[in-house]
mmCIF file of all heavy atoms in Angstrom:
data_model
loop_
_atom_site.group_PDB
_atom_site.id
_atom_site.type_symbol
_atom_site.label_atom_id
_atom_site.label_comp_id
_atom_site.label_asym_id
_atom_site.label_seq_id
_atom_site.Cartn_x
_atom_site.Cartn_y
_atom_site.Cartn_z
ATOM 1 N N ALA S 1 15.123 1.219 -4.984
ATOM 2 C CA ALA S 1 14.946 2.611 -4.578
ATOM 3 C C ALA S 1 16.210 3.463 -4.932
ATOM 4 O O ALA S 1 17.394 2.869 -4.690
ATOM 5 C CB ALA S 1 14.700 2.701 -3.143
ATOM 6 N N PRO S 2 16.135 4.667 -5.334
ATOM 7 C CA PRO S 2 17.378 5.525 -5.561
ATOM 8 C C PRO S 2 18.015 5.631 -4.198
ATOM 9 O O PRO S 2 17.360 5.711 -3.181
ATOM 10 C CB PRO S 2 16.770 6.772 -6.028
ATOM 11 C CG PRO S 2 15.419 6.501 -6.594
ATOM 12 C CD PRO S 2 14.927 5.276 -5.875
ATOM 13 N N PRO S 3 19.336 5.652 -4.178
ATOM 14 C CA PRO S 3 20.041 5.638 -2.844
ATOM 15 C C PRO S 3 19.547 6.721 -1.850
ATOM 16 O O PRO S 3 19.412 6.514 -0.664
ATOM 17 C CB PRO S 3 21.578 5.906 -3.347
ATOM 18 C CG PRO S 3 21.550 5.319 -4.629
ATOM 19 C CD PRO S 3 20.247 5.646 -5.333
ATOM 20 N N ARG S 4 19.215 7.892 -2.361
ATOM 21 C CA ARG S 4 18.793 9.024 -1.514
ATOM 22 C C ARG S 4 17.334 8.857 -1.030
ATOM 23 O O ARG S 4 16.916 9.574 -0.168
ATOM 24 C CB ARG S 4 18.877 10.338 -2.211
ATOM 25 C CG ARG S 4 18.074 10.427 -3.472
ATOM 26 C CD ARG S 4 18.500 11.625 -4.331
ATOM 27 N NE ARG S 4 17.828 11.727 -5.545
ATOM 28 C CZ ARG S 4 17.994 11.026 -6.721
ATOM 29 N NH1 ARG S 4 18.970 10.089 -6.640
ATOM 30 N NH2 ARG S 4 17.288 11.177 -7.787
ATOM 31 N N PHE S 5 16.584 7.727 -1.528
ATOM 32 C CA PHE S 5 15.271 7.522 -1.112
ATOM 33 C C PHE S 5 15.096 6.236 -0.377
ATOM 34 O O PHE S 5 13.899 5.727 -0.167
ATOM 35 C CB PHE S 5 14.289 7.651 -2.258
ATOM 36 C CG PHE S 5 14.243 8.995 -2.857
ATOM 37 C CD1 PHE S 5 14.568 9.331 -4.134
ATOM 38 C CD2 PHE S 5 13.627 10.088 -2.034
ATOM 39 C CE1 PHE S 5 14.347 10.592 -4.587
ATOM 40 C CE2 PHE S 5 13.554 11.321 -2.517
ATOM 41 C CZ PHE S 5 13.915 11.681 -3.881
ATOM 42 N N VAL S 6 16.151 5.489 -0.127
ATOM 43 C CA VAL S 6 15.936 4.026 0.431
ATOM 44 C C VAL S 6 15.138 4.030 1.680
ATOM 45 O O VAL S 6 14.283 3.254 1.867
ATOM 46 C CB VAL S 6 17.403 3.520 0.567
ATOM 47 C CG1 VAL S 6 17.258 2.099 1.390
ATOM 48 C CG2 VAL S 6 18.086 3.274 -0.690
ATOM 49 N N GLY S 7 15.535 4.857 2.670
ATOM 50 C CA GLY S 7 14.907 4.922 3.928
ATOM 51 C C GLY S 7 13.356 5.210 3.771
ATOM 52 O O GLY S 7 12.438 4.584 4.328
ATOM 53 N N GLN S 8 13.125 6.234 2.837
ATOM 54 C CA GLN S 8 11.665 6.512 2.669
ATOM 55 C C GLN S 8 10.850 5.396 2.011
ATOM 56 O O GLN S 8 9.722 5.196 2.184
ATOM 57 C CB GLN S 8 11.600 7.918 1.812
ATOM 58 C CG GLN S 8 12.215 9.020 2.541
ATOM 59 C CD GLN S 8 12.218 10.285 1.590
ATOM 60 O OE1 GLN S 8 11.094 10.542 1.015
ATOM 61 N NE2 GLN S 8 13.269 10.978 1.525
ATOM 62 N N MET S 9 11.589 4.802 1.063
ATOM 63 C CA MET S 9 10.933 3.660 0.341
ATOM 64 C C MET S 9 10.624 2.421 1.244
ATOM 65 O O MET S 9 9.704 1.797 1.056
ATOM 66 C CB MET S 9 11.770 3.186 -0.884
ATOM 67 C CG MET S 9 11.701 4.263 -1.996
ATOM 68 S SD MET S 9 9.987 4.554 -2.551
ATOM 69 C CE MET S 9 10.142 6.092 -3.395
ATOM 70 N N MET S 10 11.628 2.205 2.151
ATOM 71 C CA MET S 10 11.221 1.187 3.109
ATOM 72 C C MET S 10 10.092 1.542 4.010
ATOM 73 O O MET S 10 9.181 0.777 4.305
ATOM 74 C CB MET S 10 12.444 1.020 4.027
ATOM 75 C CG MET S 10 13.619 0.319 3.431
ATOM 76 S SD MET S 10 13.292 -1.384 2.882
ATOM 77 C CE MET S 10 12.655 -2.217 4.373
ATOM 78 N N GLY S 11 9.884 2.859 4.267
ATOM 79 C CA GLY S 11 8.682 3.475 4.886
ATOM 80 C C GLY S 11 7.423 3.094 4.113
ATOM 81 O O GLY S 11 6.437 2.704 4.597
ATOM 82 N N MET S 12 7.524 3.374 2.741
ATOM 83 C CA MET S 12 6.400 3.017 1.835
ATOM 84 C C MET S 12 6.082 1.457 1.780
ATOM 85 O O MET S 12 4.883 1.211 1.694
ATOM 86 C CB MET S 12 6.753 3.495 0.389
ATOM 87 C CG MET S 12 6.602 5.007 0.248
ATOM 88 S SD MET S 12 4.949 5.506 0.539
ATOM 89 C CE MET S 12 5.031 6.319 1.996
ATOM 90 N N TRP S 13 7.102 0.678 1.906
ATOM 91 C CA TRP S 13 6.871 -0.786 1.910
ATOM 92 C C TRP S 13 6.011 -1.099 3.213
ATOM 93 O O TRP S 13 4.968 -1.762 3.060
ATOM 94 C CB TRP S 13 8.118 -1.514 1.895
ATOM 95 C CG TRP S 13 7.913 -3.014 2.248
ATOM 96 C CD1 TRP S 13 8.109 -3.717 3.333
ATOM 97 C CD2 TRP S 13 7.571 -3.967 1.247
ATOM 98 N NE1 TRP S 13 7.793 -4.981 3.163
ATOM 99 C CE2 TRP S 13 7.428 -5.262 1.932
ATOM 100 C CE3 TRP S 13 7.106 -3.873 -0.183
ATOM 101 C CZ2 TRP S 13 7.084 -6.417 1.244
ATOM 102 C CZ3 TRP S 13 6.862 -5.103 -0.705
ATOM 103 C CH2 TRP S 13 6.794 -6.386 -0.009
ATOM 104 N N PHE S 14 6.351 -0.539 4.344
ATOM 105 C CA PHE S 14 5.605 -0.836 5.515
ATOM 106 C C PHE S 14 4.309 -0.098 5.556
ATOM 107 O O PHE S 14 3.347 -0.712 6.037
ATOM 108 C CB PHE S 14 6.476 -0.379 6.713
ATOM 109 C CG PHE S 14 7.609 -1.290 7.095
ATOM 110 C CD1 PHE S 14 8.869 -0.737 7.062
ATOM 111 C CD2 PHE S 14 7.397 -2.673 7.249
ATOM 112 C CE1 PHE S 14 10.033 -1.585 7.327
ATOM 113 C CE2 PHE S 14 8.574 -3.456 7.497
ATOM 114 C CZ PHE S 14 9.771 -2.955 7.581
ATOM 115 N N LEU S 15 4.175 1.043 4.947
ATOM 116 C CA LEU S 15 2.849 1.732 4.750
ATOM 117 C C LEU S 15 1.878 0.885 3.989
ATOM 118 O O LEU S 15 0.781 0.670 4.286
ATOM 119 C CB LEU S 15 3.003 3.073 4.116
ATOM 120 C CG LEU S 15 1.820 4.027 4.015
ATOM 121 C CD1 LEU S 15 2.111 5.422 4.211
ATOM 122 C CD2 LEU S 15 0.997 3.687 2.659
ATOM 123 N N CYS S 16 2.376 0.296 2.892
ATOM 124 C CA CYS S 16 1.582 -0.613 2.066
ATOM 125 C C CYS S 16 1.177 -1.889 2.698
ATOM 126 O O CYS S 16 0.085 -2.369 2.532
ATOM 127 C CB CYS S 16 2.264 -0.974 0.710
ATOM 128 S SG CYS S 16 2.343 0.454 -0.472
ATOM 129 N N THR S 17 2.146 -2.376 3.575
ATOM 130 C CA THR S 17 1.820 -3.509 4.410
ATOM 131 C C THR S 17 0.704 -3.168 5.428
ATOM 132 O O THR S 17 -0.316 -3.994 5.654
ATOM 133 C CB THR S 17 3.008 -4.023 5.132
ATOM 134 O OG1 THR S 17 4.088 -4.369 4.366
ATOM 135 C CG2 THR S 17 2.708 -5.200 6.106
ATOM 136 N N ALA S 18 0.787 -1.971 6.034
ATOM 137 C CA ALA S 18 -0.302 -1.612 6.915
ATOM 138 C C ALA S 18 -1.572 -1.364 6.193
ATOM 139 O O ALA S 18 -2.678 -1.725 6.784
ATOM 140 C CB ALA S 18 0.109 -0.227 7.546
ATOM 141 N N LEU S 19 -1.584 -0.877 4.999
ATOM 142 C CA LEU S 19 -2.779 -0.788 4.231
ATOM 143 C C LEU S 19 -3.441 -2.153 3.989
ATOM 144 O O LEU S 19 -4.719 -2.269 4.143
ATOM 145 C CB LEU S 19 -2.612 -0.166 2.917
ATOM 146 C CG LEU S 19 -3.819 -0.031 1.897
ATOM 147 C CD1 LEU S 19 -4.956 0.639 2.478
ATOM 148 C CD2 LEU S 19 -3.301 0.695 0.568
ATOM 149 N N GLY S 20 -2.695 -3.075 3.736
ATOM 150 C CA GLY S 20 -3.108 -4.509 3.453
ATOM 151 C C GLY S 20 -3.669 -5.041 4.775
ATOM 152 O O GLY S 20 -4.803 -5.710 4.690
ATOM 153 N N LEU S 21 -3.187 -4.741 5.886
ATOM 154 C CA LEU S 21 -3.710 -5.225 7.236
ATOM 155 C C LEU S 21 -5.006 -4.573 7.537
ATOM 156 O O LEU S 21 -5.927 -5.239 8.029
ATOM 157 C CB LEU S 21 -2.648 -4.984 8.240
ATOM 158 C CG LEU S 21 -1.305 -5.759 8.074
ATOM 159 C CD1 LEU S 21 -0.389 -5.301 9.222
ATOM 160 C CD2 LEU S 21 -1.531 -7.217 8.065
ATOM 161 N N VAL S 22 -5.122 -3.269 7.241
ATOM 162 C CA VAL S 22 -6.408 -2.664 7.529
ATOM 163 C C VAL S 22 -7.475 -3.240 6.608
ATOM 164 O O VAL S 22 -8.636 -3.599 7.012
ATOM 165 C CB VAL S 22 -6.399 -1.074 7.213
ATOM 166 C CG1 VAL S 22 -7.821 -0.488 7.320
ATOM 167 C CG2 VAL S 22 -5.423 -0.433 8.217
ATOM 168 N N LEU S 23 -7.190 -3.407 5.375
ATOM 169 C CA LEU S 23 -8.176 -4.147 4.444
ATOM 170 C C LEU S 23 -8.456 -5.497 4.864
ATOM 171 O O LEU S 23 -9.588 -6.068 4.618
ATOM 172 C CB LEU S 23 -7.637 -4.100 3.023
ATOM 173 C CG LEU S 23 -7.334 -2.711 2.269
ATOM 174 C CD1 LEU S 23 -6.816 -2.893 0.836
ATOM 175 C CD2 LEU S 23 -8.798 -2.078 2.174
ATOM 176 N N ALA S 24 -7.466 -6.237 5.496
ATOM 177 C CA ALA S 24 -7.668 -7.532 5.927
ATOM 178 C C ALA S 24 -8.836 -7.542 6.981
ATOM 179 O O ALA S 24 -9.702 -8.449 7.036
ATOM 180 C CB ALA S 24 -6.438 -8.195 6.535
ATOM 181 N N GLY S 25 -8.757 -6.522 7.907
ATOM 182 C CA GLY S 25 -9.731 -6.511 8.900
ATOM 183 C C GLY S 25 -11.125 -6.132 8.410
ATOM 184 O O GLY S 25 -12.084 -6.666 8.906
ATOM 185 N N LEU S 26 -11.242 -5.286 7.468
ATOM 186 C CA LEU S 26 -12.457 -4.918 6.828
ATOM 187 C C LEU S 26 -13.083 -6.097 6.007
ATOM 188 O O LEU S 26 -14.289 -6.354 6.254
ATOM 189 C CB LEU S 26 -12.250 -3.788 5.872
ATOM 190 C CG LEU S 26 -12.002 -2.403 6.532
ATOM 191 C CD1 LEU S 26 -11.598 -1.360 5.421
ATOM 192 C CD2 LEU S 26 -13.217 -1.938 7.325
ATOM 193 N N PHE S 27 -12.248 -6.878 5.405
ATOM 194 C CA PHE S 27 -12.751 -8.005 4.584
ATOM 195 C C PHE S 27 -13.128 -9.101 5.608
ATOM 196 O O PHE S 27 -14.209 -9.716 5.394
ATOM 197 C CB PHE S 27 -11.638 -8.595 3.610
ATOM 198 C CG PHE S 27 -12.130 -9.595 2.710
ATOM 199 C CD1 PHE S 27 -12.872 -9.255 1.639
ATOM 200 C CD2 PHE S 27 -11.909 -10.997 2.972
ATOM 201 C CE1 PHE S 27 -13.372 -10.214 0.707
ATOM 202 C CE2 PHE S 27 -12.288 -11.927 2.160
ATOM 203 C CZ PHE S 27 -13.162 -11.548 0.989
ATOM 204 N N ALA S 28 -12.429 -9.241 6.657
ATOM 205 C CA ALA S 28 -12.747 -10.306 7.695
ATOM 206 C C ALA S 28 -14.133 -9.915 8.231
ATOM 207 O O ALA S 28 -14.814 -10.934 8.653
ATOM 208 C CB ALA S 28 -11.725 -10.474 8.738
ATOM 209 N N GLY S 29 -14.471 -8.797 8.459
ATOM 210 C CA GLY S 29 -15.745 -8.409 8.952
ATOM 211 C C GLY S 29 -16.928 -8.758 8.192
ATOM 212 O O GLY S 29 -18.076 -8.752 8.605
ATOM 213 N N ARG S 30 -16.696 -9.113 6.816
ATOM 214 C CA ARG S 30 -17.836 -9.517 6.096
ATOM 215 C C ARG S 30 -18.269 -10.991 6.310
ATOM 216 O O ARG S 30 -19.347 -11.511 5.813
ATOM 217 C CB ARG S 30 -17.405 -9.317 4.477
ATOM 218 C CG ARG S 30 -17.152 -7.956 4.155
ATOM 219 C CD ARG S 30 -16.485 -7.811 2.704
ATOM 220 N NE ARG S 30 -17.450 -8.234 1.775
ATOM 221 C CZ ARG S 30 -17.236 -8.470 0.483
ATOM 222 N NH1 ARG S 30 -15.995 -8.096 0.040
ATOM 223 N NH2 ARG S 30 -18.098 -8.852 -0.271
ATOM 224 N N PHE S 31 -17.354 -11.713 7.041
ATOM 225 C CA PHE S 31 -17.722 -13.226 7.358
ATOM 226 C C PHE S 31 -18.777 -13.144 8.585
ATOM 227 O O PHE S 31 -18.223 -13.457 9.747
ATOM 228 C CB PHE S 31 -16.486 -13.952 7.646
ATOM 229 C CG PHE S 31 -15.648 -14.118 6.366
ATOM 230 C CD1 PHE S 31 -14.635 -13.230 6.091
ATOM 231 C CD2 PHE S 31 -15.786 -15.296 5.587
ATOM 232 C CE1 PHE S 31 -13.951 -13.406 4.829
ATOM 233 C CE2 PHE S 31 -15.068 -15.478 4.497
ATOM 234 C CZ PHE S 31 -14.151 -14.574 4.106
ATOM 235 N N ARG S 32 -19.923 -12.959 8.334
ATOM 236 C CA ARG S 32 -20.876 -12.869 9.472
ATOM 237 C C ARG S 32 -21.364 -14.245 9.826
ATOM 238 O O ARG S 32 -21.748 -15.106 9.046
ATOM 239 C CB ARG S 32 -22.124 -12.070 9.043
ATOM 240 C CG ARG S 32 -21.631 -10.601 8.587
ATOM 241 C CD ARG S 32 -22.872 -9.695 8.591
ATOM 242 N NE ARG S 32 -24.234 -10.343 8.212
ATOM 243 C CZ ARG S 32 -24.573 -10.358 6.967
ATOM 244 N NH1 ARG S 32 -23.866 -9.969 5.947
ATOM 245 N NH2 ARG S 32 -25.708 -10.982 6.683
ATOM 246 N N ALA S 33 -21.499 -14.522 11.151
ATOM 247 C CA ALA S 33 -21.924 -15.852 11.603
ATOM 248 C C ALA S 33 -23.401 -16.065 11.202
ATOM 249 O O ALA S 33 -23.779 -17.363 11.111
ATOM 250 C CB ALA S 33 -21.747 -15.867 13.120
ATOM 251 N N ASP S 34 -24.194 -15.085 10.977
ATOM 252 C CA ASP S 34 -25.634 -15.311 10.643
ATOM 253 C C ASP S 34 -25.754 -15.414 9.064
ATOM 254 O O ASP S 34 -26.895 -15.408 8.558
ATOM 255 C CB ASP S 34 -26.461 -14.165 11.129
ATOM 256 C CG ASP S 34 -26.063 -12.775 10.544
ATOM 257 O OD1 ASP S 34 -24.986 -12.725 9.944
ATOM 258 O OD2 ASP S 34 -26.752 -11.912 10.820
ATOM 259 N N ALA S 35 -24.660 -15.498 8.338
ATOM 260 C CA ALA S 35 -24.686 -15.644 6.831
ATOM 261 C C ALA S 35 -23.603 -16.601 6.437
ATOM 262 O O ALA S 35 -22.869 -16.249 5.509
ATOM 263 C CB ALA S 35 -24.652 -14.287 6.208
ATOM 264 N N LEU S 36 -23.585 -17.928 6.923
ATOM 265 C CA LEU S 36 -22.586 -18.767 6.573
ATOM 266 C C LEU S 36 -22.730 -19.096 5.038
ATOM 267 O O LEU S 36 -21.596 -19.557 4.425
ATOM 268 C CB LEU S 36 -22.738 -20.117 7.325
ATOM 269 C CG LEU S 36 -22.434 -20.020 8.837
ATOM 270 C CD1 LEU S 36 -22.707 -21.232 9.670
ATOM 271 C CD2 LEU S 36 -21.016 -19.525 9.104
ATOM 272 N N GLY S 37 -23.867 -19.063 4.502
ATOM 273 C CA GLY S 37 -24.008 -19.379 3.052
ATOM 274 C C GLY S 37 -23.179 -18.464 2.203
ATOM 275 O O GLY S 37 -22.843 -18.773 0.982
ATOM 276 N N GLU S 38 -22.815 -17.256 2.685
ATOM 277 C CA GLU S 38 -21.999 -16.228 1.915
ATOM 278 C C GLU S 38 -20.453 -16.654 1.977
ATOM 279 O O GLU S 38 -19.726 -15.993 1.209
ATOM 280 C CB GLU S 38 -22.296 -14.941 2.332
ATOM 281 C CG GLU S 38 -23.753 -14.367 2.118
ATOM 282 C CD GLU S 38 -23.966 -13.070 2.733
ATOM 283 O OE1 GLU S 38 -23.002 -12.430 3.201
ATOM 284 O OE2 GLU S 38 -25.044 -12.555 2.650
ATOM 285 N N TRP S 39 -20.121 -17.367 2.885
ATOM 286 C CA TRP S 39 -18.601 -17.563 3.117
ATOM 287 C C TRP S 39 -17.908 -18.194 1.935
ATOM 288 O O TRP S 39 -16.885 -17.614 1.548
ATOM 289 C CB TRP S 39 -18.345 -18.405 4.462
ATOM 290 C CG TRP S 39 -18.709 -17.700 5.600
ATOM 291 C CD1 TRP S 39 -19.595 -16.751 5.917
ATOM 292 C CD2 TRP S 39 -17.899 -17.749 6.930
ATOM 293 N NE1 TRP S 39 -19.500 -16.276 7.304
ATOM 294 C CE2 TRP S 39 -18.583 -16.886 7.795
ATOM 295 C CE3 TRP S 39 -16.859 -18.548 7.255
ATOM 296 C CZ2 TRP S 39 -18.141 -16.718 9.054
ATOM 297 C CZ3 TRP S 39 -16.401 -18.354 8.630
ATOM 298 C CH2 TRP S 39 -16.997 -17.555 9.514
ATOM 299 N N PRO S 40 -18.404 -19.146 1.240
ATOM 300 C CA PRO S 40 -17.749 -19.790 0.152
ATOM 301 C C PRO S 40 -17.530 -18.713 -0.953
ATOM 302 O O PRO S 40 -16.517 -18.675 -1.530
ATOM 303 C CB PRO S 40 -18.648 -20.887 -0.357
ATOM 304 C CG PRO S 40 -19.430 -21.302 0.803
ATOM 305 C CD PRO S 40 -19.677 -20.092 1.649
ATOM 306 N N GLY S 41 -18.595 -17.905 -1.178
ATOM 307 C CA GLY S 41 -18.482 -16.834 -2.208
ATOM 308 C C GLY S 41 -17.371 -15.785 -1.832
ATOM 309 O O GLY S 41 -16.654 -15.368 -2.634
ATOM 310 N N LEU S 42 -17.303 -15.396 -0.547
ATOM 311 C CA LEU S 42 -16.262 -14.499 -0.122
ATOM 312 C C LEU S 42 -14.887 -15.073 -0.341
ATOM 313 O O LEU S 42 -13.932 -14.358 -0.757
ATOM 314 C CB LEU S 42 -16.503 -14.156 1.358
ATOM 315 C CG LEU S 42 -17.826 -13.309 1.690
ATOM 316 C CD1 LEU S 42 -18.000 -13.166 3.152
ATOM 317 C CD2 LEU S 42 -17.625 -11.909 0.999
ATOM 318 N N TYR S 43 -14.629 -16.329 0.036
ATOM 319 C CA TYR S 43 -13.337 -16.904 -0.107
ATOM 320 C C TYR S 43 -13.126 -17.002 -1.585
ATOM 321 O O TYR S 43 -11.897 -16.939 -2.060
ATOM 322 C CB TYR S 43 -13.246 -18.296 0.560
ATOM 323 C CG TYR S 43 -13.022 -18.187 2.072
ATOM 324 C CD1 TYR S 43 -13.911 -18.951 2.847
ATOM 325 C CD2 TYR S 43 -12.018 -17.376 2.634
ATOM 326 C CE1 TYR S 43 -13.810 -18.766 4.294
ATOM 327 C CE2 TYR S 43 -11.916 -17.265 4.046
ATOM 328 C CZ TYR S 43 -12.776 -18.024 4.836
ATOM 329 O OH TYR S 43 -12.570 -17.912 6.195
ATOM 330 N N THR S 44 -14.061 -17.278 -2.416
ATOM 331 C CA THR S 44 -13.885 -17.338 -3.825
ATOM 332 C C THR S 44 -13.433 -16.032 -4.383
ATOM 333 O O THR S 44 -12.549 -15.988 -5.264
ATOM 334 C CB THR S 44 -15.190 -17.758 -4.528
ATOM 335 O OG1 THR S 44 -15.578 -19.051 -4.116
ATOM 336 C CG2 THR S 44 -15.072 -17.946 -6.154
ATOM 337 N N GLN S 45 -13.977 -14.856 -3.963
ATOM 338 C CA GLN S 45 -13.696 -13.594 -4.363
ATOM 339 C C GLN S 45 -12.150 -13.349 -4.147
ATOM 340 O O GLN S 45 -11.424 -12.874 -4.958
ATOM 341 C CB GLN S 45 -14.427 -12.516 -3.697
ATOM 342 C CG GLN S 45 -15.939 -12.483 -4.120
ATOM 343 C CD GLN S 45 -16.673 -11.535 -3.305
ATOM 344 O OE1 GLN S 45 -16.114 -10.574 -2.676
ATOM 345 N NE2 GLN S 45 -17.996 -11.679 -3.193
ATOM 346 N N LEU S 46 -11.699 -13.626 -2.878
ATOM 347 C CA LEU S 46 -10.291 -13.370 -2.473
ATOM 348 C C LEU S 46 -9.473 -14.223 -3.241
ATOM 349 O O LEU S 46 -8.349 -13.894 -3.788
ATOM 350 C CB LEU S 46 -10.092 -13.640 -0.965
ATOM 351 C CG LEU S 46 -8.749 -13.384 -0.350
ATOM 352 C CD1 LEU S 46 -8.324 -11.955 -0.645
ATOM 353 C CD2 LEU S 46 -8.813 -13.532 1.160
#
């Protein structure tokens, strides 16, 4: 990061981490207990 943007870029790093965590929750919701046959395919996608 350019010296004048270091603090903001650290914020961007954590923002992207937060985005990954939100997507993690959405992806985890696709593992339905009534559709176990789909689980190997979901893990394959990831």
Side-chain angles (χ1 to χ4, degrees):
R4 59 194 178 280
F5 291 119
V6 170
Q8 296 176 47
M9 286 304 159
M10 287 303 298
M12 280 297 102
W13 172 261
F14 288 122
L15 184 148
C16 289
T17 300
L19 173 56
L21 298 179
V22 174
L23 293 177
L26 290 171
F27 189 78
R30 298 174 62 187
F31 290 87
R32 302 196 325 271
D34 59 350
L36 290 176
E38 298 177 4
W39 286 37
L42 291 172
Y43 284 129
T44 300
Q45 292 175 21
L46 183 55

